Amino acid sequence: MSASADARRPPAPRRSLPRSLNGVKKSPAGSAALLSALGTRAAPRQKMAPGVKALWGLKNVMVLLSAPVLLLPLLLLIGTKESCCAYVIALMAVYWCTEALPLAVTALLPTLLFPVLGIMKSKEVCMQYLKDTNMLFVGGLIVAVAVEHWNLHKRIALRVLLIMGVRPALLMLGFMAVTAFLSMWISNTATTAMMVPIVQAVLDQMNNREAEALQMLSGGEEVTPLEGDKQDGKVGEEQVTVSGLGVSPEEAADRTRMCKGFTLCVCYAASIGGTATLTGTGPNLVLKGQMNQLFPQNGDVINFASWFGFAFPNMVLMLALAWFWLQLIFMGFNFRRTWRCGVLTSAKEAVAYRVIREEHRRLGPMCFGELSVLLLFSLLVLLWFTRDPGFMAGWATHLFNAEAEYVTDATVAIFVAVLLFIFPSKVPQLCFWKSHSTDSQASNSPCPALLTWKVVQKKLPWNIVLLLGGGFALARGSEVSGLSLWLGNQMSPLHSIPPWAIATVLCLLVATFTECTSNVATATLFLPVLASMSQSIGVNPLYVMLPCTLSASFAFMLPVATPPNAIVFSYGYLQVSDMAKVGVVMNIIGLLCVTLAINTWGRAMFHLDTFPTWANATGM
């Protein structure tokens, strides 16, 4: 990059994604270490006094030792089963919020503490760690690993961007739409890690093109877009106009704002898109598992099809409002300039289109392996949607589930996942014995499958499986000990407050809490309590649990709140204050959209006006 282009970018350097981000959401407890790994804005730590630095290094040890001691009154002064279970939950909440232990290790504490405190038998606790929901997660993630392994997600992203166009508003909308769609099926972290370099390449080339234009115009040459860089059937012919060799402060500020907007749109779209499908993000699966755990007679009210019908319209609405808000804050009110209505493609837009087209060209034609993964992925989605649509009988209703629910979404996910280890990655040679290849050993070797266990073992986030299991163990322990019933009785005075007000306040609380800890841990801690509260005040549990589950994914304000935010922050365009100011409004947008969804189409879909019979029967 030339010196003039570098001068127009913020001073912080671009950083690569550290390996520590390839997991679940980070919490502020690990913010110092995370920012140090990212190499951005970690200077305050270097200025700490030696004594303060020593104390900060002992923080985890202090939390590990002090939390069990401070919570001992629950065991010694009360000593009931309810208080013992409350002790375990409070201890895990402290460890999850501070990350004094790894999140997955904290999730294993019920296997130790529940038997020791006489709450549950060891074999009963351990059975909670591999339920139907965990297998749904594993099967869905194996398919997502195959999509990522074959680079199919990148091909889809670049193709959609070529179709959407490169005008500023359309380009941002294209980035957001692609990121949200991919985040519905693969992890938010992987989606962001793939999309941000594409955004970075487009921005770099646009700045390089302007730098070249300045140098050429200084020598008296005219600069026009390159031939062949077409958009919407037009070739850009608008000359790049500059005054002198420098860039005005206003133009530099505009470019900085555009860089901030284009990078922020990716991490926000990744978080929003994950809410649309049941397997898109961890809190959705926590809700599914908790519903089956707490209300075993619910009739599979939450499945892939019903969740998609509720959450997808909410995702589209949030995405549109987020795009409008980012346009407003970073590109101003001049929509004619943003959309370039009636104006041919400019030089910068032509260069952006060329970069995207070149990236797509490097992928080459779609191979047999990519096509096979695409077909299996499409089969998975089709089977999920048609298994039990709700408004009509699905294919499993009469074939397998006439007497009981034998086949679930997890069965479908594992079926397609197994096929990935069977289908060949190359076109099979039926008449292999007739091969005249000089390298007979190579020609007769077995063709590898679409996916190998080595790839899955490396890329699958196994820690979330333990997190989900720990949540199910806590929910079961709360029921067995009677803590759920006790909490429900304490919340009975809320019966006089309108349900919509209760849901709104709880969504705000969850959205604030999820900025500080893992979204899976947030849902795990809150959902059993919300279920007990709903039963005690006679409100449909889904009326509160659905919006709070979505709110657990609304981590928009802090760089360390979620891996997509941290990835974007590491590129150096943004400051913490930028994310905080924009993220506050994003949280408000999410809260308003969820409130609208639960009180309109959600109310009709799940019959939220009535207290269901299955809510009277618990898993005890």
Side-chain angles (χ1 to χ4, degrees), residues 37 93 177 213 259-260 383 394 412 427 508 606:
C259 291
K260 291 180 179 180
L383 292 177
V412 175
V427 180
L508 183 60
F606 299 106

Side-chain angles (χ1 to χ4, degrees), residues 21 80 131 178 389 420-421 563 610:
L21 288 179
T80 63
K131 287 182 168 291
V178 168
L420 290 168
F421 295 93
T610 60

Side-chain angles (χ1 to χ4, degrees), residues 515-530:
E515 297 283 353
C516 306
T517 188
S518 161
N519 52 5
V520 178
T522 300
T524 299
L525 292 172
F526 275 92
L527 290 184
V529 178
L530 299 180

Side-chain angles (χ1 to χ4, degrees), residues 104 126 145 291 298 367 380 444 460 463 483 496-497 528 542 606:
C126 295
V145 166
M291 285 294 296
N298 68 77
C367 64
L380 173 65
N444 294 331
L460 193 70
N463 51 353
L483 180 62
S496 58
I497 302 177
L542 288 176
F606 299 106

